Amino acid sequence: MTVVVPDEVATKATCRPIISAVTIAATCPECGGPRGEATRHSRTVDGVLYSVDQWTNECGHVDYYSAVLAEARAEAS
Ligand SMILES: [Zn+2]
């Protein structure tokens, strides 16, 4: 699945919100269950409005954006 997530490392480095569209598995890395469907949400950081995806996994495991970015980078390499 492709999701749009905030890249907090890049955001800190540049002092403005950096958003990345990344491709990750459709399954939870903890238990292999299906990830929830992503929906678009607006977030405001330092007065700048931008949109990111959020989803809730049925299994209850939480996908942190930092882990999602790490997974996407691992898959791309
Ligand atoms: Zn899980």
Side-chain angles (χ1 to χ4, degrees):
M1 60 195 255
T2 300
V3 292
V4 177
V5 297
D7 188 332
E8 272 147 20
V9 173
T11 296
K12 271 198 191 113
T14 59
C15 297
R16 62 194 174 87
I18 304 295
I19 310 304
S20 298
V22 297
T23 302
I24 55 171
T27 51
C28 170
E30 291 288 328
C31 67
R35 277 176 159 145
E37 194 173 330
T39 53
R40 199 59 50 90
H41 290 264
S42 295
R43 263 168 68 148
T44 305
V45 173
D46 294 336
V48 179
L49 182 71
Y50 62 102
S51 296
V52 295
D53 285 331
Q54 291 180 357
W55 60 96
T56 302
N57 297 336
E58 270 178 46
C59 59
H61 291 121
V62 177
D63 280 322
Y64 293 103
Y65 288 134
S66 55
V68 167
L69 284 164
E71 180 185 328
R73 286 182 183 129
E75 285 209 357
S77 63

